Amino acid sequence: MALLRKSAAALCAAAAVLLAIPPTASATPVPHGTLARENFDRLPLGPVTEGRGWSADTAGGTLTVVPSAMGRGRELRIRTEGNGRAFLVFDELAPPGNSFWGRVRLRVGGFPTAPDWAHWTIAEASGTGSPTLVRPLGGQYAPTDGGNFWGVGSDLGPTGDWTSWKTSAPAIGGAWQCVEFHLDATDNRVTVYLGGVEQSELTVSTKAHGGTADDFVFPAFDKLKLGWQLYQADPTPSSYDIRMDDIALGTRRVGGCGNGG
């Protein structure tokens, strides 16, 4: 009987532990070094202005949570008109050593074909101590080469307004792509990965960038914007539809993009 009583007590204790676990607890552990994560699955369908650790910045644009195109879960639909903008803003970042990694799955419905040299941004990091805006994900329509191309860029700092795009990294609309970037303060280096593969030709650093002869130097990062902004008026097409999912920011490479991830 004593053995039966001990077994019953053990079962009751185990049941109590299970009941204490929140029903929304994730089965997937959050990796060490994670700064922020968002997959939109816990947000209600419809227009959204905030989530876990982020708010919205919109003008001529909207953010909407919609069912995933993959048939499971949810994703974010970003829509802008003309040269509007719509961003998620992670504004409580404090990356150790002023360096961090980012990953996002995204689909841009279509890129601009006018005006010439139309410039767009998908990610922009900023902070204190310098007005420099660091744009690890963005690009430009180059009429001389007949397309849009990925490029790292910057604005407002001593190196001026620039986007260092490369024809070896074409930006293709209408397809999902897993994109990563690394901001490394040891050499003010920005590295981009497409589909898990490093795009070394897009790398910029303190002395090697697309601006003036001044050094390219990071601010003390405390904010990252992810979304879409096109800067020129009256673009073609006149509106833009972007989907995002599986956002992760961390002190280590998050991975999950195939080769090398």
Side-chain angles (χ1 to χ4, degrees), residues 154 156-163 205-217:
S154 181
L156 298 185
T159 57
D161 181 6
W162 51 270
T163 301
S205 59
T206 307
K207 299 292 186 182
H209 52 80
T212 69
D214 296 279
D215 285 354
F216 173 55
V217 179

Side-chain angles (χ1 to χ4, degrees), residues 31-59:
H32 177 71
T34 297
L35 299 173
R37 294 176 72 88
E38 183 61 86
N39 63 9
F40 307 103
D41 289 348
R42 298 189 181 188
L43 293 175
L45 295 173
V48 62
T49 58
E50 61 182 3
R52 291 178 295 175
W54 60 267
S55 58
D57 173 21
T58 62

Side-chain angles (χ1 to χ4, degrees), residues 178 180 192-200 253 257-260:
C178 192
E180 302 165 273
V192 177
Y193 300 74
L194 302 178
V197 179
E198 180 180 344
Q199 308 296 303
S200 58
R253 187 175 183 184
C257 282
N259 299 338

